[in-house]
Amino acid sequence: MTFSEYISGIFRGLQSLLKGMRVTNHYFFNPREIVTQKYPENRAQLQMFERFKGEVIMPHNEKNEHRCTGCGICEISCPNGSIEVITQTIVTEDGKRKKILDKHIYHLSMCTFCGLCVKNCPSNALDFGQEFEHAVFDRSKLTKVLNKEGSTLMKEVE
Amino acid sequence: MTGNAYDFSIITKNIDQYLVLHWGPSMAATLELVLVGVLYLLIYALVGLLLVYAERRICAFIQCRLGPNRVGPQGIFQTIADFIKLLLKENIRIERADKLLFFIAPFIIIVGSFLAFGTLPFAKGLHALDPDIGLFFIMAATSLGVIGILLAGWSSNSKYSLIGAMRSGAQIVSYELSVGLAMVTMVILTGTLQLSEIIEMQRDGWFIFKGHIPALIAFVILLIAGTAETNRGPFDLAEAESELTAGFHTEYSGIKFAFFFLAEYMNMFVLAAVATTLFLGGWMPLHLGNLQAFNQIMDFIPPLVWFLVKVFAVIYIIMLFKWTYPRLRIDQLLSLEWKYLLPINLFNLILMSVIVLLGLHF
Ligand code: SF4
Ligand code: SF4
C-alpha cells in the first residue's frame, strides 16, 4: 500500500461512512417513513395484506354455495391432521348415488398455515382469511366447520 | 458581560454561608457532601434513564419503527417501568463464580463513570469538582471501567463473559490512546487541564472554530475513539449479542445488570460532555463575530440549556454511529486504531503544536 493509496483510502472510507449516516439521519428526521401501525387503535381501518394467512376459510357465494366436492384431498395433504372431511351419500333426482360434503371440519388450534390444503384443493374451494384475532377462552371454539349450515355445492364445479 | 447573570457559584456560595451560619463549618461540610452526593446520584440515574429512552426512540425512528410509546405520553415512562422491573427481579447467584469479584465488578464500573460525571461543568459554577487536572482526572476515572469489565468477565466463570471481557480489554487499551492523544491535542491549544478554564477560553469562539483543521480532526477522532471506549456499537464486540449472548455481563441479572446498562449510557454522556467542553464551548452560548443583537439573544438562553443541547447533539451523533454501521471484527477494530487513528492523531498533534507555536490560531 503506497502512501497516496493510504490517504485516498481514508477519504473514501470517510465518504462512504458519511453517506451511511446521511441515510439514517434522513429516516430520523422524516417520521412519515415509519411503517409501524398502532394496532388496537386502528382496528377499524386496519387492512391486512392479500397474502396474509389468518385462517383457512371456505368462501361461499351469496346463494350459500361453496365449491367443495368432499373429495378429501385436503385432509390427506394436511401434514398435521388439522382437517377432517365428513361426507354423506345421497341419491339424486335421476336416481344416481352421489357423495357430497357433509362437514368440513378445520382445527385452527393445530394448523401451521402451511397452505398445502389451499394449494392442493382441485376445485379451489379453500382460501386464507384475513381474520387474525383468534383468542378464545375455550379450546373447543377453535374447531370450526367451514361449510355453512345448509350450504350446497356450486353448479359449475360439478 | 450579561453572561454572568446565570452564575451558579453565587447561589452555591449563599447556600454554603447559610449552612455554615447555622451548623458550623464541619457540620456544614458534611451536609454539603451528602446534599451534593444525593443530588448527583439522582441526576445520574435520571439522565441515564432518559438516555436509554432516547436511544430506543431514536433507533426505532431510524429503523422506521415507533419504539416504546405506550407507558405514559409518548412512552416516556417506559424506562422507569423497566427499571422497576429490574429492581424487583431475582439476583441470581452463580454457583462457581468468584463471589467477591462478581459482586464488586458492577460497582467499580459505576463508580468510574460516576467520578467522571462529578467533574463535568454543567454551567458556570455548577460542578461538584473542578480540579486543575480535570481532563486527566476524567481520563483516569473512565479507565476504571475496564477493570470492572475484566473483573466481571473473569469472575463470572463463563466462557462468553471471559471472551467478552478480553475483547473489551484489548479494545479499551488501544482506544484509550486515541482518546488521550485527541485530548492532548486540545490541551496544547488551551495550555490547561482545568475544565472551567478551558470553557472560559472559549468565550469568544468555540475551539472547533478557533483551532483550525487540527481541532476538527481531533473532534472526529475523539468521537470515534470515545465511542469505542464506551463499548458502544459499532465497537460493541465486548457484548456482541449475536455471538456472545451479552458478553461480560452475561451472568448478571436484576439490579446489577441495570448497573452495567446505566454505566454504559452514562459513559456516553460523559464522553459527549467532554467533547462539548473541549470543542463546542461547554455551556458558552454561540457568539457570532460582532453581531451584538444576535449575541445578546444567545446570552439570554441559560448556560445549562446550552450545555444540554450541545451534549445531546453529540449524543445523537454517537447514537447514529451505532444504528448506522455494522459491528467491526476484532482485527478490523485493531487495525482501525493502530493503522489509522493513531498515526493521524500523532500527525495532528504535531500540526497543532506548530500552529500554536507560530501563533496561527485566533
Ligand atoms: S394450512 Fe396446512 S396445516 Fe393448516 S389445515 Fe391446511 S394443510 Fe393443514
Ligand atoms: S376442500 Fe377441496 S380438497 Fe378438501 S375436500 Fe373439499 S374439494 Fe376436496
Side-chain angles (χ1 to χ4, degrees), chain B residues 36-353:
Chain B
V36 172
V38 169
L39 202 69
Y40 263 73
L41 267 181
L42 262 179
I43 296 172
Y44 184 87
L46 279 182
V47 172
L49 290 179
L50 183 73
L51 282 181
V52 176
Y53 168 73
E55 163 116 314
R56 287 175 66 181
R57 285 296 274 198
I58 287 175
C59 89
F61 275 42
I62 287 173
Q63 297 168 345
C64 299
R65 299 183 286 118
L66 279 169
N69 59 61
R70 297 284 155 163
V71 190
Q74 291 294 312
I76 46 171
F77 298 130
Q78 178 67 52
T79 45
I80 296 176
D82 287 345
F83 193 67
I84 294 171
K85 182 200 76 175
L86 280 175
L87 278 177
L88 296 177
K89 268 196 165 177
E90 185 192 354
N91 238 328
I92 298 170
R93 293 168 58 94
I94 311 298
E95 264 307 308
R96 264 178 274 162
D98 190 326
K99 296 260 162 25
L100 178 68
L101 296 186
F102 189 75
F103 181 76
I104 60 174
F107 293 99
I108 292 182
I109 290 182
I110 211 130
V111 162
S113 72
F114 193 70
L115 279 179
F117 186 67
T119 49
L120 300 179
F122 288 97
K124 193 174 172 66
L126 199 62
H127 40 210
L129 293 172
D130 188 23
D132 45 8
I133 50 160
L135 263 183
F136 186 66
F137 181 84
I138 287 182
M139 277 291 291
T142 47
S143 322
L144 267 183
V146 69
I147 301 178
I149 289 176
L150 282 175
L151 280 187
W154 167 254
S155 63
S156 307
N157 197 8
S158 144
K159 291 186 180 75
Y160 287 142
S161 305
L162 192 59
I163 295 173
M166 286 302 149
R167 281 184 184 185
S168 126
Q171 176 181 332
I172 292 184
V173 165
S174 34
Y175 278 84
E176 191 103 302
L177 219 57
S178 280
V179 174
L181 280 175
M183 285 184 184
V184 167
T185 313
M186 295 317 287
V187 169
I188 288 176
L189 184 61
T190 60
T192 172
L193 287 162
Q194 192 166 11
L195 292 178
S196 56
E197 242 177 81
I198 291 176
I199 293 177
E200 209 53 52
M201 289 171 82
Q202 301 181 66
R203 188 171 284 283
D204 51 344
W206 304 350
F207 277 146
I208 199 160
F209 305 130
K210 283 209 300 189
H212 292 303
I213 298 163
L216 197 65
I217 297 177
F219 181 61
V220 173
I221 288 180
L222 183 74
L223 278 190
I224 297 174
T227 313
E229 223 200 278
T230 50
N231 268 326
R232 282 181 56 82
F235 306 102
D236 54 350
L237 290 134
E239 40 191 287
E241 294 93 346
S242 46
E243 23 190 303
L244 293 180
T245 320
F248 59 90
H249 57 64
T250 306
E251 306 291 342
Y252 283 89
S253 54
I255 186 67
K256 287 196 201 138
F257 167 75
F259 274 10
F260 283 111
F261 209 62
L262 209 60
E264 181 192 325
Y265 282 90
M266 288 320 288
N267 279 335
M268 178 171 69
F269 185 84
V270 169
L271 164 69
V274 170
T276 304
T277 307
L278 276 180
F279 297 97
L280 305 179
W283 42 262
M284 281 291 171
L286 177 69
H287 282 178
L288 278 186
N290 297 322
L291 295 173
Q292 279 303 329
F294 177 80
N295 292 352
Q296 294 260 307
I297 294 170
M298 290 292 144
D299 277 339
F300 194 68
I301 302 169
L304 191 60
V305 174
W306 271 111
F307 180 76
L308 289 179
V309 166
K310 289 179 201 171
V311 167
F312 277 100
V314 176
I315 285 178
Y316 172 68
I317 296 175
I318 298 173
M319 286 185 178
L320 259 193
F321 284 160
K322 174 157 182 169
W323 299 106
T324 307
Y325 305 131
R327 183 181 304 132
L328 271 72
R329 227 168 37 217
I330 185 84
D331 61 319
Q332 293 169 335
L333 180 93
L334 292 179
S335 78
L336 172 69
E337 162 66 17
W338 295 102
K339 286 192 191 158
Y340 292 94
L341 290 188
L342 193 64
I344 294 173
N345 224 334
L346 288 173
F347 172 74
N348 197 31
L349 194 69
I350 296 169
L351 197 65
M352 182 58 106
S353 316

Side-chain angles (χ1 to χ4, degrees), chain A residues 6 17 21 24-25 35 41, chain B residues 64 70 316 324-325 339:
Chain A
Y6 175 82
L17 288 179
M21 275 176 68
T24 43
N25 194 47
V35 290
E41 286 93 341
Chain B
C64 299
R70 297 284 155 163
Y316 172 68
T324 307
Y325 305 131
K339 286 192 191 158

Side-chain angles (χ1 to χ4, degrees), chain A residues 68-74 85 104 121-123 125-126:
Chain A
C68 175
T69 57
C71 68
I73 289 177
C74 54
V85 179
H104 191 291
C121 175
S123 44
L126 297 178

Side-chain angles (χ1 to χ4, degrees), chain A residues 10 22 27 52 60 67-68 98 100 103 108 111 115 118-120 125 133 139 143:
Chain A
I10 290 175
R22 214 173 55 220
Y27 279 126
F52 177 74
H60 287 60
R67 300 173 66 94
C68 175
K98 196 184 158 203
I100 59 158
K103 272 185 184 143
L108 177 59
C111 177
V118 177
K119 259 200 193 123
N120 286 345
E133 293 173 346
R139 194 163 52 182
T143 300

